[in-house]
Amino acid sequence: MFTCCIRYVVESNKRTEFKEYARAWIPLIEKYGGTHHGYFVPPESGEPFPEATFSFPGLGKNGPANIALALFSFPSVEAYERYRVEVAKDKKCKEATARFNQTKCFSSYERNFLKPIFSKYD
């Protein structure tokens, strides 16, 4: 199993469009064998969120207010490769891509593939 972590730089005036983009991709990933853990977006101005506190003084800092994350997992590289082939043919995928091309709701992204650690027995 591995998890894909995508870090987006979201256009601050296009958060609604980004949320629409995110909601389009969750069922596509699940339809083709993935487990989606959600998209995570920064709070809107004025939303009650805790202040950032850090366990290691001098090392931590507040993150940027325009970063969103998506996390989804696949049981194997083969399953992920099948997803990539099949989703590219899907009408909903094409619609989500076209919608992004219209809105440009994020300006860049980074993709990492990570191995989860769940316990001392992994």
Side-chain angles (χ1 to χ4, degrees), residues 83-102:
Y83 147 78
R84 298 276 305 202
V85 169
E86 294 303 317
V87 77
K89 302 175 201 174
D90 193 288
K91 177 184 174 191
K92 297 279 187 189
C93 172
K94 292 175 184 177
E95 290 172 359
T97 302
R99 178 79 175 127
F100 166 75
N101 287 329
Q102 291 172 350

Side-chain angles (χ1 to χ4, degrees), residues 20-71:
E20 291 170 4
Y21 173 85
R23 288 186 185 106
W25 273 100
I26 292 170
L28 284 167
I29 288 168
E30 292 178 342
K31 178 178 179 180
Y32 293 106
T35 300
H36 211 296
H37 307 293
Y39 280 79
F40 302 86
V41 296
E44 298 287 340
S45 179
E47 279 187 291
F49 268 69
E51 292 293 320
T53 58
F54 305 100
S55 300
F56 303 98
L59 296 178
K61 60 183 179 178
N62 286 327
N66 64 338
I67 300 300
L69 298 174
L71 297 167

